Amino acid sequence: MVTGVSEVDYEPWVRARLPDLLRFAYLVTGNRESAQDAVQTALAGTFAAWPRLSREGDPAAYVRRAIVNAHVSGWRRFGKRQTPVAEVRADTVTPHHTAPGHAEHIAEHDAVWRMCAALPPKQRAAVVLRFYEDLDYAQIAALLGCPEATARSHIRRALIRLRTELTQDTP
């Protein structure tokens, strides 16, 4: 049972970290709606475990792992039924900026994001944890619930795939 003290500690902790958790989840999932779902699922589970987590030290690591797990579980359940759109038609997009070079920057960013989004969920999560969260391989392995060698392998395979796609797209 959750005590009143833990409930009081939990809410400010979540409020303070929610933007970072949503940003992390967005990078792992690839879209805002899935990120919100993953964070909500992770925080619901975290609330039940909060008394233990708040005593043991770093609840943020636990929540990040819960976000990754929620995304992978959701992908397993619904991923095969979702069909990503390969490209957005130009006539449906309203430009926000018209500065020279801005369109090229947006296009490049979009291309990189599409390549990352095409990675398998565990590889994408490992890349985000390594290069966005700046975690070492042992921490990544702990968050993904796999051996350190597997975490290294996820990152290595993701980088090979990204390099291959980049070299194929370059004239």
Side-chain angles (χ1 to χ4, degrees):
M1 172 166 237
V2 178
T3 65
V5 174
S6 294
E7 289 174 21
V8 170
D9 294 341
Y10 181 75
E11 192 173 327
W13 185 90
V14 169
R15 255 194 238 120
R17 287 161 184 83
L18 189 58
D20 291 335
L21 294 173
L22 285 168
R23 196 170 19 259
F24 170 74
Y26 177 80
L27 291 170
V28 169
T29 64
N31 70 61
R32 191 169 60 185
E33 292 78 18
S34 294
Q36 290 170 339
D37 289 346
V39 169
Q40 182 176 4
T41 300
L43 291 176
T46 303
F47 182 75
W50 185 252
R52 178 182 52 83
L53 294 173
S54 61
R55 282 192 311 268
E56 290 179 0
D58 185 18
Y62 182 91
V63 174
R64 283 194 305 264
R65 179 171 182 177
I67 289 169
V68 170
N69 289 345
H71 173 61
V72 170
S73 294
W75 180 81
R76 284 182 182 145
R77 278 193 304 271
F78 304 112
K80 296 182 186 344
R81 288 186 254 162
Q82 296 177 354
T83 307
V85 177
E87 118 183 24
V88 177
R89 290 191 341 246
D91 61 340
T92 63
V93 178
T94 305
H96 297 286
H97 297 77
T98 56
H102 186 72
E104 291 84 12
H105 175 73
I106 297 289
E108 183 178 296
H109 181 268
D110 183 57
V112 170
W113 178 247
R114 274 189 272 124
M115 283 189 276
C116 289
L119 292 171
K122 289 247 181 176
Q123 286 181 12
R124 183 172 56 236
V127 167
V128 168
L129 290 168
R130 179 72 181 113
F131 298 106
Y132 179 76
E133 292 289 323
D134 200 29
L135 299 180
D136 63 31
Y137 292 108
Q139 292 169 312
I140 294 167
L143 285 170
L144 294 179
C146 64
E148 188 174 332
T150 303
R152 287 179 185 275
S153 177
H154 284 317
I155 293 169
R156 182 179 160 277
R157 288 180 180 159
L159 292 177
I160 288 170
R161 186 169 173 179
L162 292 172
R163 278 188 201 108
T164 301
E165 287 193 35
L166 282 172
T167 56
Q168 287 176 349
D169 290 345
T170 305

